[in-house]
Amino acid sequence: MLVYGTKEPNRFLLESLRRIKSSELEEALLVLPMDYVTQLLIALEKLLEDEVEVELISRILFFLLRLHHGPVTGSPQLSEVIEKLKFKAEGKINLLRDTIGFNMAALEFLQREIEEKEATQLFLDATLKARDKRKKKNRKDLAIKRAVLSL
């Protein structure tokens, strides 16, 4: 546990799960015996309370429930754990969803402001170019008029 920088068993479990590659995580969960699945579900419930790595915990939870649906739902020991997991996971996921929605709205607002600013800048550039063209044309016309008058 000291290698992972933690002294708590739940943090050690979380750190161990975090270090498993995403592509190998499902394979590791597939070979897990049912009694370890039971212990892992109980530990996942405690980990959800800490609000750390909710996405990873939810992914593991949903995969295990999809894989072991029959034995998990049939077990009286796990029925109350599943209810607690459902309640906690739903709340944490909704909180994350709200945060992501708020951040997306803020990014869209910033994008609109930047686009408006750039459009104004582009319009300003276009008017300056038109003004320069008019000045050049007026100078050219004046130069032609002077040349004609001097003849």
Side-chain angles (χ1 to χ4, degrees):
M1 287 196 308
L2 292 176
V3 174
Y4 289 134
T6 183
K7 293 182 180 179
E8 300 174 22
N10 286 337
R11 293 288 184 173
F12 174 73
L13 174 65
L14 180 64
E15 195 61 36
S16 299
L17 291 172
R18 185 184 304 156
R19 290 177 187 245
I20 299 173
K21 291 181 183 176
S22 180
S23 59
E24 297 172 355
L25 182 62
E26 291 182 359
E27 290 179 31
L29 294 172
L30 274 171
V31 297
L32 206 59
M34 187 58 195
D35 56 334
Y36 289 129
V37 169
T38 305
Q39 292 174 4
L40 183 59
L41 288 174
I42 294 169
L44 289 177
E45 176 195 350
K46 293 175 184 170
L47 286 173
L48 270 175
E49 292 174 359
D50 297 338
E51 294 186 25
V52 179
E53 296 287 334
V54 176
E55 299 93 348
L56 175 65
I57 295 170
S58 299
R59 184 171 166 227
I60 293 170
L61 174 65
F62 295 141
F63 182 78
L64 287 175
L65 289 177
R66 200 176 320 121
L67 184 65
H68 299 287
H69 182 265
V72 168
T73 55
S75 170
Q77 176 192 7
L78 288 178
S79 62
E80 85 176 46
V81 172
I82 296 299
E83 285 298 317
K84 290 179 184 177
L85 278 168
K86 177 187 171 196
F87 177 73
K88 290 177 184 176
E90 190 175 316
K92 305 299 182 192
I93 290 171
N94 285 337
L95 183 66
L96 282 176
R97 188 178 294 135
D98 291 344
T99 303
I100 290 170
F102 181 80
N103 289 342
M104 288 295 296
L107 286 173
E108 289 170 0
F109 174 75
L110 288 174
Q111 181 181 9
R112 280 193 308 271
E113 278 194 353
I114 290 171
E115 287 174 354
E116 287 175 6
K117 190 175 185 179
E118 286 178 356
T120 305
Q121 187 68 27
L122 290 174
F123 181 71
L124 181 63
D125 289 343
T127 56
L128 290 176
K129 286 180 183 179
R131 188 179 306 152
D132 289 342
K133 282 184 181 181
R134 273 185 268 137
K135 283 183 181 179
K136 285 180 183 179
K137 185 179 178 190
N138 288 342
R139 287 183 191 152
K140 187 177 179 182
D141 290 343
L142 284 174
I144 291 173
K145 287 180 184 177
R146 283 188 206 131
V148 171
L149 288 175
S150 63
L151 289 176

